[in-house]
Amino acid sequence: MLVLAPGRITSLYVHVPFCARKCSYCAFYSESSSGELINRYVAALIRELESVSADLQPSTIFFGGGTPSLLNLRQWEQILSAMDRLHLLGAAEWTVECNPATVSLDKAKLLRAYGVNRISMGVQSLHEPLLDRLGRIHSREMVFKSFDILRQAGFDNVNLDLMFAIPGQTLDIWRQTLVQALAMGSEHLSSYEVIYEEDTALFAQLQAGEIDLDEDLACAMYEELVAKTQDAGFQHYEIANFARGESTDSEASELSVPGRACRHNVNYWRGGSFYGLGPSATSYVRGVRNRNWSNTQLYCEQIERGNRPVESTEELAPLARAGETAAFGLRMVAGWPFEQFQRTTGHDLRQEWAGEMEKLSEQGLGMIAPDRFQLTSQGLRFADTAAELFLR
Ligand SMILES: C[S@@+](CC[C@H](N)C(=O)[O-])C[C@H]1O[C@@H](n2cnc3c(N)ncnc32)[C@H](O)[C@@H]1O
Ligand code: SF4
């Protein structure tokens, strides 16, 4: 039995597929583009919003990319006023991703005025040579300046993204970036180890033997991350995510996450439904997963012709879906409370996955508590491998 979301869908993701320049490591669907295509995208996105608005009552919204902050004031005004007309404003948490090079006070104030209340800023590093190596378009100074602009515009919930195990990054350089980023006083920090994604410049350098991987160094950097964020008062709530704040509201305590955890992502990790709009975005609505075309021209053409811009549709069998939900949720430090998992998926972890949980516990990667199963700190480091065991 699959438990389906009653009522309207409460989570909305919008993909903005444009970047000023492609970073050397990034495989998210985005391209540098002309103003004309961006205008065409904005019109198509508004039509896609119109097509799903009757089934949406967003409590979390996330505009990601690509670089949403690349859209100009007029393009943002068009999207925001359409959302107003469609009764899509008023989400409890509304995040927009920004690149430090594309933040302006006017734009930040406009977003804030329409109800955007969280900004996620891609920092990656505060070491100038590494920013160059990664193909970032901003300097370290721009990071500090943009952060101040966001505060000035009234944003009191800001995430910073950092990356570690970057080729050429020493433990000392990483430590300095971490200390300086934490000193900025953001409410949230995300930090991923570099992933060598196919079809990226960094992957090609790895294939060409130009990069030496150092697993021990990466482990030491992760340990530093966990220790330093804890010292700074952050709670580690997902492999790569740390946030401040007491879990004062009932939702945060039920989910065992800090007050400033990203609720949009928590819904995703907990197997909730969401609409994903824009090129390459995925929706998961009432057990059905749709993926939009990863091609902005094609996306626009389909919508202009009155078609849905969907490339593929998949409806997983309930047990397979529950397995995926188990795997996603184990990324969270709190693991899966058995009762909550059963409520979400209709399956009992203790029946379907008893062997897998036992095996992970014997290996020191998991822990079976009376009310839940969770990964240990060692298990979180190898979460992808651990989670694979749950797929059916
Ligand atoms: C869509 S980007 C963030 C917003 C904006 N585009 C920017 O880069 O400033 C999402 C985040 O994913 C992380 N990321 C992207 N590709 C990655 C990779 N190959 N390995 C590790 N982290 C990656 C980066 O930290 C990045 O900030
Ligand atoms: S990391 Fe951000 S700015 Fe860089 S290419 Fe990816 S989406 Fe664009």
Side-chain angles (χ1 to χ4, degrees), residues 25-26 28 65-67 97-100 122 124 136 161-163 192-195 197:
Y25 53 87
C26 181
F28 285 95
T67 310
E97 275 185 349
C98 290
N99 181 301
Q124 323 312 352
R136 300 292 292 173
D161 282 339
L162 296 178
M163 283 173 28
Y192 290 91
E193 177 175 346
V194 169
I195 302 165
E197 303 273 8

Side-chain angles (χ1 to χ4, degrees), residues 176-358:
Q176 286 171 24
T177 286
L178 202 47
V179 167
Q180 291 164 10
L182 289 169
M184 289 168 69
S186 69
E187 288 65 36
H188 195 285
L189 189 93
S190 297
S191 186
Y192 290 91
E193 177 175 346
V194 169
I195 302 165
Y196 291 84
E197 303 273 8
E198 271 183 52
D199 296 328
T200 61
L202 211 58
F203 184 77
Q205 290 166 23
L206 181 70
Q207 296 290 91
E210 293 165 17
I211 294 174
D212 288 329
L213 297 181
D214 186 340
E215 183 57 27
D216 291 341
L217 180 60
C219 280
M221 288 181 173
Y222 185 68
E223 278 165 21
E224 195 70 17
L225 169 69
V226 172
K228 286 258 183 317
T229 46
Q230 190 176 351
D231 293 347
F234 283 79
Q235 184 184 325
H236 187 191
Y237 72 99
E238 192 266 355
I239 303 173
N241 284 279
F242 306 81
R244 294 186 197 277
E246 300 286 303
S247 345
T248 41
D249 59 298
S250 57
E251 192 196 33
S253 4
E254 140 97 322
L255 298 165
S256 312
V257 295
R260 298 304 191 126
C262 176
R263 306 301 166 91
H264 183 85
N265 285 341
V266 169
N267 172 64
Y268 176 64
W269 294 318
R270 283 285 180 243
S273 287
F274 55 92
Y275 272 106
L277 312 186
S280 81
T282 299
S283 297
Y284 175 63
V285 172
R286 303 186 183 90
V288 179
R289 187 184 293 141
N290 284 316
R291 189 177 170 87
N292 281 354
W293 289 102
S294 296
N295 177 320
T296 304
Q297 302 267 2
L298 197 56
Y299 165 85
C300 293
E301 264 167 42
Q302 291 297 325
I303 290 184
E304 287 157 6
R305 286 192 196 140
N307 299 333
R308 291 175 72 208
V310 173
E311 181 188 12
S312 62
T313 296
E314 182 184 27
E315 186 163 6
L316 289 181
L319 185 60
R321 183 61 212 166
E324 273 199 358
T325 304
F328 272 142
L330 286 179
R331 299 181 60 88
M332 298 188 66
V333 175
W336 263 116
F338 297 127
E339 195 264 327
Q340 200 182 38
F341 183 80
Q342 187 150 21
R343 231 186 311 132
T344 308
T345 66
H347 289 275
D348 191 340
L349 270 176
R350 289 162 294 191
Q351 277 177 15
E352 298 289 346
W353 288 276
E356 286 79 3
M357 293 193 297
E358 203 66 53

